[in-house]
Amino acid sequence: MLVLFELTVCKQRQKNMEQLRMMRRPPYPIYVYRQGRWTRILTNNLLPGDICSVIRGEDVATFGFSDYGSGRGQDGRNIIRTAGHEVLVPCDLLLLRGGCVVNEAMLTGESVPNVKQSISEALAVDPSLAGVELNIGDGRHMAVHANNLIMGGTNVLQHSYPDDERGSQKYTVYTIPKPPDKGCIATVLRTGYGTSQ
């Protein structure tokens, strides 16, 4: 009797884990600047410190990643591409160049989207921010840079990569070429369970 009870408990746990796995958003292709060039990888392969291109959700599904497409990705997992599928930011990012409008309702409950600007533009407007440490483990210091951070689990509604950003040359990232998808350039701060989502 006890063995039968344990078997049903184990079966129920397996069923619950499978349901949780099905709720997970599938990884999608993203441009990452590695080894001096832009390459496409899946979002589940992002690492802290990676420099990536951020585009709005609708553009991810329609940009034409023909070597991934719908079907299977590099690691053999299924990738689903459907029109209208909400694509969320996969990790916490610091904007280096460009700007975007982000819906953070999932995290904050605010119904009004937030405008995010690059750190180089913020430093050009207020050079005193250069002395503020960005400690990703401490929420107090991150609040100073809240307008430069895109949190994981949010939705990018609009993005822009300005050809002529008004930021100071001292703080602007010029060594990184424009991404092929014309997205904003950002660096990965946290991935996985460490993100704000």
Side-chain angles (χ1 to χ4, degrees):
M1 185 74 143
L2 186 60
V3 173
L4 185 61
F5 175 73
E6 287 298 322
L7 286 173
T8 57
V9 169
C10 287
K11 188 66 176 169
Q12 185 62 39
R13 284 184 186 164
Q14 287 177 337
K15 184 178 176 183
N16 290 344
M17 287 302 292
E18 187 61 35
Q19 286 178 342
L20 282 173
R21 284 190 190 105
M22 290 175 55
M23 292 171 58
R24 176 173 61 182
R25 300 239 178 221
Y28 56 89
I30 189 170
Y31 277 104
V32 175
Y33 191 72
R34 287 184 180 169
Q35 299 176 349
R37 62 187 175 95
W38 288 102
T39 58
R40 289 181 280 193
I41 65 168
L42 292 175
T43 53
N44 59 347
N45 295 325
L46 286 172
L47 300 171
D50 275 344
I51 295 174
C52 63
S53 174
V54 179
I55 58 176
R56 67 188 183 123
E58 290 89 23
D59 293 344
V60 170
T62 61
F63 188 72
F65 291 103
S66 58
D67 49 342
Y68 292 102
S70 54
R72 299 208 175 267
Q74 287 177 330
D75 58 359
R77 294 184 180 165
N78 287 333
I79 301 173
I80 302 166
R81 289 284 156 264
T82 58
H85 186 267
E86 188 175 42
V87 178
L88 302 178
V89 176
C91 55
D92 291 349
L93 302 166
L94 175 67
L95 271 175
L96 300 176
R97 186 158 172 91
C100 35
V101 178
V102 180
N103 181 3
E104 293 182 338
M106 183 177 274
L107 299 178
T108 63
E110 295 179 19
S111 60
V112 179
N114 296 327
V115 177
K116 303 291 182 172
Q117 64 180 357
S118 68
I119 191 74
S120 59
E121 187 175 335
L123 290 171
V125 172
D126 186 7
S128 67
L129 290 175
V132 177
E133 180 182 348
L134 178 64
N135 184 352
I136 60 174
D138 185 8
R140 293 176 296 145
H141 289 83
M142 287 184 71
V144 174
H145 296 287
N147 287 338
N148 315 113
L149 298 172
I150 304 174
M151 299 301 177
T154 60
N155 187 10
V156 176
L157 302 175
Q158 183 180 3
H159 71 278
S160 64
Y161 184 92
D163 292 326
D164 218 10
E165 192 172 67
R166 63 182 181 149
S168 167
Q169 289 185 5
K170 179 177 177 184
Y171 301 114
T172 307
V173 183
Y174 282 114
T175 57
I176 301 171
K178 194 173 197 174
D181 60 358
K182 298 180 179 77
C184 303
I185 295 177
T187 185
V188 177
L189 297 178
R190 295 184 287 203
T191 61
Y193 287 109
T195 62
S196 298
Q197 59 183 332

